[in-house]
Amino acid sequence: MVLTTRVDKVEQRRLELAESALRTLGDLGYARTGLREIAANSPFSHGVVHYYFHDKIELITFCVRHYKTICSRRYDDAVASATTPQGLVDDVVAIMSRTLLDDAALHRLWYDLRTQSIFEPGLREDVRDIDLLLQAMVGRIVARAVELGAGQALVDEATAYAAVDGLFEQALVAASRGDDAAQEAATLLGRRVAALLRSIVA
Amino acid sequence: MVLTTRVDKVEQRRLELAESALRTLGDLGYARTGLREIAANSPFSHGVVHYYFHDKIELITFCVRHYKTICSRRYDDAVASATTPQGLVDDVVAIMSRTLLDDAALHRLWYDLRTQSIFEPGLREDVRDIDLLLQAMVGRIVARAVELGAGQALVDEATAYAAVDGLFEQALVAASRGDDAAQEAATLLGRRVAALLRSIVA
DNA sequence: GAAAAATCTTGACAACTGTCCAGAGCGTCC
DNA sequence: GGACGCTCTGGACAGTTGTCAAGATTTTTC
């Protein structure tokens, strides 16, 4: 596709800047991330940010929206291909432990921005959208476990999501203490999510 | 106790400033809270902060330590006085829903600072201490439920804490959307924590 | 009551922030 | 070739930040 309209090129630049912003936010956190730092992690100078985005908030919002396209379908293959409840839990837990280690910056960014949304109303709607997407993701896992005969769901979708999410955030905080701690956190996360899932669908 | 040593007075000033910092941080969030704003919410001027604290980090750290003395014993009475598993869960859930509404700023601050600790190593140890304290708090609730004949614990203490904490954070984020949303979040939180507790100790 | 010490205010500093803008560089079209 | 529009740079702006220090004020000590 050589034919790139002007609109396409603009959208591509916005994506480039968003990727750079995601990297920077995941590294430094929202409180310490400035527009210049984001631009420094991109091929452009700091002025260009305001050429493609009206606001800092608009850029961050764009980032958060971009994030959801990366995350929310992560377990779909495992859900589709599982044949036993045991196998489903094993696969899900393996993916979760791996993404904790591989995509740590992305996850750090997500929890940071979700917390920021408490103080910054401009972020709330987008954060809420993603939360619902992630909740549906967990819901599909639970529903599939029920379908495979693991039992019945003892809590609703929102409760299951919040509980699993709590475990993931706990692991992410623990993983920030260093490489060894991250490895251990990933192992514990796997065990704990498995135990929890078996408790809430039985 | 009229006899106040010099050390006592210093400690009292540090507490006053910490209280003001807790208020400000809970209102504005870590990213938007400056030393001048903290001082403005206290009877002192901004320069005095560096008279009692070497650093901004030292002040924040002191705040976090102060926070733990407020929070970690919140459910002890309910745990001690409960006579049935049902009654225990009801009491705990009632306290939790109430503190979500009454101490929202304090809880906002806690989740904000815990996330900041991912990016700011200077906060990690204190945050970890509090996390362990809160975990023990949840552990006492679960252990008491078992003691009262609710069944056996299906997950370990850390898992139970992370799951309940996930529900609480979910409710806090939802509560930030306004007064009506906060009321609904408190109700849902109660129902969900009760359902979760009954699932993990059965 | 004077001297000394502790406490607090005020203003300054360098560094940083988000935002904006004048102009340079560029390719495209008449 | 000249004019035009899109893209990007780099600097400037007003405001904020954490930090510090000189001096005023209060409290303590002798």
Side-chain angles (χ1 to χ4, degrees):
Chain A
M1 178 88 142
V2 190
L3 188 150
T4 52
T5 74
R6 203 174 70 72
V7 181
D8 286 340
K9 292 183 80 172
V10 166
E11 204 58 19
Q12 188 189 329
R13 279 280 180 279
R14 286 165 68 97
L15 275 174
E16 279 185 84
L17 287 170
E19 294 276 3
S20 159
L22 283 172
R23 267 194 305 275
T24 315
L25 286 165
D27 268 10
L28 273 45
Y30 182 88
R32 262 173 273 301
T33 297
L35 260 19
R36 283 161 230 267
E37 196 69 33
I38 291 174
N41 281 16
S42 83
F44 308 104
S45 75
H46 74 272
V48 87
V49 174
H50 280 84
Y51 185 77
Y52 289 104
F53 296 95
H54 181 265
D55 242 358
K56 184 189 185 183
I57 284 289
E58 192 188 314
L59 167 61
I60 305 278
T61 295
F62 189 86
C63 286
V64 178
R65 288 216 184 91
H66 182 53
Y67 168 88
K68 83 177 167 198
T69 69
I70 303 177
C71 278
S72 68
R73 294 269 152 192
R74 187 168 269 143
Y75 303 94
D76 285 9
D77 285 352
V79 167
S81 64
T83 55
T84 67
Q86 189 72 36
L88 173 66
V89 171
D90 286 348
D91 288 354
V92 163
V93 152
I95 296 174
M96 208 176 281
S97 297
R98 189 139 34 84
T99 190
L100 176 75
L101 299 175
D102 292 350
D103 312 310
L106 208 61
H107 297 301
R108 281 196 292 266
L109 161 76
W110 161 244
Y111 288 105
D112 193 11
L113 289 185
R114 188 171 69 177
T115 305
Q116 289 309 313
S117 81
I118 295 181
F119 303 103
E120 175 66 63
L123 290 172
R124 273 179 208 160
E125 278 181 58
D126 290 289
V127 163
R128 190 177 145 86
D129 282 352
I130 297 184
D131 249 335
L132 290 174
L133 233 59
L134 297 173
Q135 179 176 316
M137 181 183 80
V138 171
R140 287 193 295 274
I141 296 171
V142 171
R144 182 65 171 152
V146 171
E147 201 178 304
L148 290 172
Q152 55 179 329
L154 301 180
V155 300
D156 63 14
E157 194 180 272
T159 306
Y161 166 55
V164 171
D165 189 61
L167 278 168
F168 197 86
E169 186 173 4
Q170 178 189 62
L172 193 66
V173 171
S176 71
R177 297 173 71 84
D179 285 356
D180 291 353
Q183 283 293 338
E184 197 195 338
T187 306
L188 284 174
L189 174 64
R191 274 209 280 272
R192 288 171 180 171
V193 169
L196 182 71
L197 286 177
R198 291 198 190 96
S199 299
I200 63 179
V201 31
Chain B
M1 176 87 142
V2 190
L3 190 149
T4 53
T5 75
R6 202 175 70 71
V7 180
D8 285 342
K9 292 185 80 172
V10 166
E11 203 59 18
Q12 188 189 329
R13 280 279 180 278
R14 287 165 68 96
L15 274 175
E16 279 185 85
L17 287 170
E19 293 276 4
S20 158
L22 283 172
R23 268 195 305 276
T24 315
L25 285 165
D27 267 10
L28 274 44
Y30 181 88
R32 261 172 276 295
T33 296
L35 259 20
R36 280 159 230 270
E37 197 69 31
I38 291 174
N41 282 17
S42 83
F44 308 103
S45 73
H46 72 272
V48 89
V49 174
H50 281 85
Y51 186 78
Y52 290 103
F53 296 95
H54 180 267
D55 244 356
K56 186 189 183 184
I57 284 289
E58 192 187 315
L59 167 60
I60 305 279
T61 295
F62 188 87
C63 285
V64 178
R65 288 216 185 92
H66 182 53
Y67 168 88
K68 82 178 168 197
T69 69
I70 303 176
C71 277
S72 66
R73 294 268 151 193
R74 187 168 271 140
Y75 302 94
D76 285 9
D77 285 351
V79 166
S81 65
T83 54
T84 66
Q86 189 73 33
L88 174 65
V89 170
D90 286 349
D91 288 355
V92 163
V93 152
I95 296 174
M96 209 177 279
S97 297
R98 188 139 35 81
T99 190
L100 175 75
L101 298 175
D102 292 350
D103 312 310
L106 209 60
H107 296 302
R108 281 196 291 266
L109 160 75
W110 161 244
Y111 288 104
D112 194 9
L113 288 187
R114 188 171 68 176
T115 305
Q116 289 309 314
S117 80
I118 295 180
F119 303 103
E120 176 66 62
L123 291 172
R124 275 180 206 158
E125 276 181 57
D126 290 288
V127 162
R128 189 177 145 85
D129 281 352
I130 298 183
D131 248 335
L132 290 174
L133 234 60
L134 296 173
Q135 177 176 317
M137 180 183 82
V138 171
R140 287 192 296 274
I141 297 170
V142 171
R144 181 67 170 149
V146 171
E147 200 177 305
L148 291 172
Q152 55 178 327
L154 301 179
V155 299
D156 62 16
E157 194 181 272
T159 306
Y161 166 55
V164 171
D165 188 62
L167 278 167
F168 197 86
E169 186 173 3
Q170 177 188 64
L172 193 66
V173 171
S176 71
R177 298 173 70 83
D179 285 355
D180 291 353
Q183 284 293 339
E184 198 196 335
T187 307
L188 284 174
L189 174 64
R191 274 210 280 272
R192 288 172 179 169
V193 169
L196 182 71
L197 286 177
R198 292 197 191 97
S199 299
I200 63 178
V201 32

